[in-house]
Amino acid sequence: MGFRSAVVEMEAPFLGLSLVLVLLAAGWGNGAGAAWATSPGGCRLVQSTATCNGRWLNSVPRNLQDEIEELLLDDNTIQVLGNASVLAYQKLRHLSLSKNRLELIEPGAFLGSQGLRVLSLADNLLFTNYSVTAAALSALPALRKLDLAGNRLTEDMVSVLLWNLSSLESLSVARNIIMRLDSSTFTNLIQLLELNLEKNYIFEIDQAFEGLQRLQRLNMAYNYIPCIAEFDLTQLRVLNVSNNAIEWFLALESDDLFELEVLDLSHNQLLFFPVLPRQSKLHSLLLKDNEMSFYQHLANATSLANVTVQFLLIDGNSTNVTTVSLWDEICHSNLSSLRLLDMSQNQVWYLPEEFLAKMPSLTRLKLNQNCLEMFHLPEGDALAMLTDLDLSQNHLSELRVDLSVRGVLPSLQLFNLSTNRLQVLPARFFTYTRKITTVDLSHNRVDLCPQQAVAGKVANLPCVDIRGITTLTRLSLAGCGLQGLGSHPFRGTSLTHLDLSDNQEALSGGLGWLQDLTLTLQVLSLRNTNFSSTVVDIDFSGFQSLICLDLSGNSLTIFPSSLGILKLHTLDLRDNCLPALPQDVIWTPLGKSLHEVYLSRNPYNCCMLGWWDSLQQVEGLHIRDGQEVTCSYASRTVSARALPEPILQGCRWRTADLALLYLVLALPTCLTLLVAFAIIFLTLKQKLLKMVKSQCGVSSPY
């Protein structure tokens, strides 16, 4: 059993070219460097485990308990593991020597550790004396897990090191310099279940896994594999070949049942949808970031019927040619168990008919970042189990649904349509999605129903109607160009999260059209909505359930007083025009409930920072961008966290000057009033005395 990586020649008349893959091996470092601790100290013993990591040890400690079963010696400076190094620890089951300077393990090093099951030798220098080290490893009959990653090993060195380790179940030779795998590389590893070959230089594979009858997990990510042909590892459950240069994936044409459950082909150069085993248990197929497309709908499609792809399989002096028709879009594989399909970041501009109908168990479908212009939801129960559908970042202008079908996407919960060219959705679309909770329509040119009446008439333009969708809790309408919204666009919904960012005209009439959400809304984003302190209705007091509010990127010049009674946990006020916050903000319900706040990029006055000092003293409040908060003083911009002494002194003088100014203005007025009163009194003194005598005096006795 095994598979081949092959040189491929493709004859494609309609393209008028011949493509030959060139094998390239350059780039991955071996990662063998180690991090060294600088402080000495003893080992830490916990039950039967001794931890001696980062102790700057150059040999294995010999004064530990004889009963230890696990010995961790990572991040030290051990160069040689001698014959008597672990002789005292007869019950040792787990030994870790990763990130040392290990060059040699002497042949008798493990003679007293016959029960050792786990051995980690990652990030060392074992390439130096690998043949002697191999003799030491061969004396471990119970070894189940071996880590040789990052040791600058070639395929020949690996073959020698593994020659007599038939008991191994898990092996890692990642981050080495392996370039080619053949039938001699993993000889005798008949018990191996898991193999990690990632981050090597592998560009050719020739029957390397034929003897690994029990292998279930194979990781060959980050290599230079150009093609996988004749894949026939029927027992394999997980195959990761992501981040290679694979252009073709061809499973062996066989009716045998493959145990394959997860296939990761992401970050490659696939030109076509992979040819999968006819019968498998595949539930996760990852094809992200390739060059895949379907070609039957090309202008000259009639000429594609006889186009074939020829694979040249070179084995020594013999050359076999396999001819495959990859233009046939009929999928012959049984994908009834597939639950996750990720085809994001490809060049798909349409899906073949019946393509999704072959995946009745599909729960997550990712088609974002492709070239789709129209998406047709299949009829019947083809996607009855689908819960997550991501169609974002395409060129969609139409979403087509057969309205005669009842229960379209009945299990759908998350629907991402952001960054497309949609203006409308099919009528009553959300009435069929009975479990929908999250919808992202951001960066489309959509409007909400009902539309605002203009001159007594309602404009009859396309709109999206979400009224009455009781299951909907999260909605994003960022960058949709929303303008005048009619009354009650959210009636009958229970939205808790609403994003209205980047809609410059949406709030020109205030917040009245959000009135149906006052009891449920918890997270509201009004970032960059041209929101200012002059908006007619800026009253947030009704939103008593609100815990997160984003008002960044607006034109606020005054802190909205209605925020003071809310019990927000998060408030974002970045990029506004606020000169200061209220001095008493920390004593309001808002100040007592806030957990985090964003305040940077506002023109704060350096002489009005009393509120800033108060906020910093509030226990449990995190000013996330505190380092970026600045203030202005005499055309200078400085950090609010550490005002220079000249500015502090200047602010004090300004305060003193202001008090003196008030005194100077008040003193002349007081003096004027006093002089006027004195003149009046002196002028009318005689008359006033006579008046007093006439009213209060008595007759003289003379």
Side-chain angles (χ1 to χ4, degrees):
M1 257 185 288
F3 58 80
R4 300 173 183 264
S5 60
V7 179
V8 182
E9 183 175 338
M10 179 182 75
E11 296 180 3
F14 75 100
L15 293 175
L17 57 85
S18 178
L19 176 64
V20 178
L21 294 178
V22 179
L23 306 179
L24 176 64
W28 278 108
N30 55 50
W36 316 114
T38 57
S39 58
C43 299
R44 181 165 54 91
L45 297 175
V46 178
Q47 295 181 348
S48 60
T49 299
T51 302
C52 308
N53 297 335
R55 303 295 181 183
W56 205 252
L57 301 174
N58 56 22
S59 62
V60 177
R62 299 187 179 184
N63 57 348
L64 303 176
Q65 296 178 3
D66 296 342
E67 304 296 317
I68 62 170
E69 297 180 3
E70 185 173 4
L71 178 55
L72 307 179
L73 290 162
D74 302 339
D75 290 296
N76 284 292
T77 61
I78 301 172
Q79 290 183 283
V80 177
L81 195 65
N83 288 328
S85 295
V86 293
L87 186 61
Y89 311 122
Q90 302 286 327
K91 295 186 177 181
L92 200 60
R93 297 290 180 269
H94 182 175
L95 175 61
S96 182
L97 287 159
S98 62
K99 296 183 180 179
N100 277 270
R101 301 174 182 174
L102 199 59
E103 299 178 359
L104 171 66
I105 301 179
E106 295 183 352
F110 299 123
L111 292 179
S113 306
Q114 298 295 294
L116 193 66
R117 299 175 63 88
V118 179
L119 177 59
S120 177
L121 301 171
D123 297 310
N124 281 289
L125 305 171
L126 294 181
F127 71 95
T128 310
N129 297 285
Y130 69 92
S131 58
V132 180
T133 299
L137 296 179
S138 65
L140 293 171
L143 192 62
R144 297 291 183 267
K145 184 175 182 179
L146 175 62
D147 189 350
L148 295 173
N151 275 283
R152 307 182 194 178
L153 301 173
T154 66
E155 56 268 27
D156 294 332
M157 295 177 185
V158 169
S159 179
V160 172
L161 286 166
L162 302 178
W163 179 255
N164 195 29
L165 297 180
S166 58
S167 62
L168 274 186
E169 296 179 354
S170 176
L171 170 65
S172 175
V173 284
R175 296 183 286 108
N176 282 289
I177 51 176
I178 301 170
M179 301 179 68
R180 185 180 183 277
L181 300 176
D182 58 29
S183 58
S184 66
T185 309
F186 304 113
T187 305
N188 297 328
L189 299 184
I190 56 177
Q191 301 295 327
L192 198 65
L193 300 174
E194 181 176 6
L195 176 58
N196 187 355
L197 287 159
E198 70 176 357
K199 295 184 180 179
N200 275 279
Y201 298 83
I202 301 170
F203 64 87
E204 184 178 357
I205 303 170
D206 184 12
Q207 301 296 322
F209 312 112
E210 185 173 352
L212 307 183
Q213 301 289 336
R214 300 187 61 195
L215 188 64
Q216 297 182 5
R217 303 177 67 90
L218 176 58
N219 183 358
M220 294 193 296
Y222 295 98
N223 279 283
Y224 296 93
I225 303 171
C227 168
I228 292 181
E230 297 184 351
F231 174 76
D232 64 347
L233 299 178
T234 56
Q235 84 287 0
L236 202 65
R237 295 182 182 273
V238 179
L239 174 59
N240 183 358
V241 285
S242 63
N243 294 279
N244 277 275
I246 298 172
E247 294 190 354
W248 315 95
F249 181 92
L250 300 174
L252 187 69
E253 293 187 13
S254 169
D255 291 326
D256 294 340
L257 176 63
F258 283 66
E259 299 293 328
L260 192 63
E261 298 176 355
V262 178
L263 175 58
D264 190 349
L265 285 161
S266 57
H267 308 290
N268 276 286
Q269 300 172 20
L270 285 173
L271 300 173
F272 297 91
F273 193 81
V275 178
L276 302 169
R278 291 178 181 174
Q279 301 293 331
S280 71
K281 300 179 181 180
L282 194 65
H283 62 70
S284 298
L285 179 57
L286 309 176
L287 303 171
K288 179 181 180 179
D289 187 22
N290 279 279
E291 300 175 14
M292 274 192 323
S293 187
F294 297 98
Y295 303 93
Q296 193 66 40
H297 288 180
L298 292 176
N300 58 345
T302 55
S303 66
L304 298 179
N306 298 320
V307 173
T308 60
V309 178
Q310 291 186 333
F311 293 87
L312 278 65
L313 306 179
I314 303 173
D315 185 6
N317 295 325
S318 63
T319 301
N320 295 323
V321 178
T322 300
T323 302
V324 179
S325 176
L326 285 180
W327 306 105
D328 185 3
E329 293 183 345
I330 300 175
C331 182
H332 298 284
S333 304
N334 182 0
L335 299 177
S336 59
S337 60
L338 193 64
R339 298 196 297 270
L340 168 61
L341 175 59
D342 186 351
M343 293 173 60
S344 58
Q345 298 181 38
N346 277 278
Q347 299 177 16
V348 177
W349 56 285
Y350 80 98
L351 294 179
E353 294 182 9
E354 304 299 320
F355 179 75
L356 296 177
K358 292 182 174 293
M359 309 171 190
S361 301
L362 201 63
T363 59
R364 297 178 60 195
L365 175 59
K366 296 176 67 64
L367 289 167
N368 52 297
Q369 299 184 57
N370 276 282
C371 309
L372 294 169
E373 297 180 354
M374 187 274 293
F375 188 78
H376 187 191
L377 292 170
E379 300 179 2
D381 298 328
L383 297 177
M385 302 293 291
L386 195 66
T387 60
D388 294 9
L389 176 57
D390 190 348
L391 298 174
S392 62
Q393 300 184 60
N394 277 278
H395 305 299
L396 286 175
S397 58
E398 181 182 5
L399 187 65
R400 188 177 299 173
V401 179
D402 185 356
L403 294 180
S404 64
V405 179
R406 297 298 176 186
V408 175
L409 302 177
S411 301
L412 191 65
Q413 299 177 21
L414 188 152
F415 197 11
N416 190 348
L417 287 165
S418 64
T419 318
N420 278 287
R421 301 172 182 174
L422 293 168
Q423 292 186 341
V424 67
L425 295 181
R428 305 187 307 278
F429 173 77
F430 290 115
T431 62
Y432 298 105
T433 56
R434 297 185 293 267
K435 296 181 180 180
I436 193 74
T437 62
T438 304
V439 175
D440 191 345
L441 290 169
S442 58
H443 304 290
N444 285 281
R445 303 303 296 180
V446 298
D447 206 352
L448 292 182
C449 306
Q451 294 171 323
Q452 189 178 34
V454 179
K457 297 181 179 180
V458 178
N460 189 21
L461 297 175
C463 60
V464 175
D465 195 350
I466 63 169
R467 292 171 294 180
I469 311 302
T470 56
T471 58
L472 190 62
T473 58
R474 296 169 180 258
L475 176 64
S476 178
L477 296 167
C480 288
L482 298 176
Q483 296 184 358
L485 292 178
S487 60
H488 305 289
F490 302 112
R491 175 175 289 171
T493 67
S494 300
L495 287 179
T496 59
H497 294 65
L498 178 61
D499 187 354
L500 297 171
S501 304
D502 302 312
N503 288 285
Q504 295 289 320
E505 304 296 329
L507 301 180
S508 56
L511 301 174
W513 52 282
L514 296 176
Q515 57 187 298
D516 293 313
L517 303 177
T518 54
L519 298 179
T520 61
L521 199 60
Q522 299 177 15
V523 179
L524 175 61
S525 178
L526 300 175
R527 184 183 68 255
N528 192 28
T529 52
N530 202 25
F531 202 47
S532 68
S533 302
T534 59
V535 173
V536 176
D537 184 4
I538 197 172
D539 186 9
F540 289 96
S541 59
F543 297 89
Q544 291 299 310
S545 298
L546 206 61
I547 59 175
C548 181
L549 178 61
D550 186 352
L551 294 174
S552 62
N554 286 291
S555 305
L556 291 173
T557 56
I558 301 174
F559 184 81
S561 59
S562 57
L563 293 181
I565 66 173
L566 300 183
K567 297 181 179 179
L568 298 178
H569 294 171
T570 303
L571 177 61
D572 194 340
L573 293 170
R574 287 175 289 186
D575 290 300
N576 275 281
C577 304
L578 295 168
L581 266 60
Q583 295 284 354
D584 62 345
V585 66
I586 65 170
W587 306 112
T588 63
L590 173 66
K592 296 177 181 179
S593 63
L594 271 180
H595 295 164
E596 58 181 11
V597 64
Y598 299 85
L599 299 169
S600 61
R601 297 190 289 278
N602 277 281
Y604 300 120
N605 188 333
C606 288
C607 295
M608 300 171 60
L609 290 181
W611 59 270
W612 169 253
D613 296 331
S614 299
L615 280 182
Q616 293 186 93
Q617 303 302 319
V618 177
E619 186 177 356
L621 176 60
H622 301 282
I623 305 175
R624 296 299 185 186
D625 57 346
Q627 298 287 350
E628 304 172 31
V629 176
T630 60
C631 62
S632 300
Y633 178 86
S635 73
R636 291 178 58 190
T637 300
V638 297
S639 173
R641 278 184 174 267
L643 292 181
E645 185 59 32
I647 293 181
L648 292 174
Q649 186 175 359
C651 288
R652 287 193 290 267
W653 273 109
R654 287 190 178 187
T655 305
D657 290 346
L658 190 60
L660 183 60
L661 176 62
Y662 290 150
L663 180 61
V664 170
L665 291 176
L667 187 59
T669 303
C670 294
L671 290 175
T672 301
L673 291 175
L674 183 60
V675 171
F677 178 77
I679 293 173
I680 293 172
F681 178 76
L682 293 175
T683 304
L684 302 176
K685 178 180 179 181
Q686 297 298 328
K687 293 182 179 180
L688 289 172
L689 289 174
K690 290 180 179 180
M691 186 181 299
V692 171
K693 285 183 178 182
S694 63
Q695 295 294 329
C696 304
V698 294
S699 57
S700 174
Y702 298 100

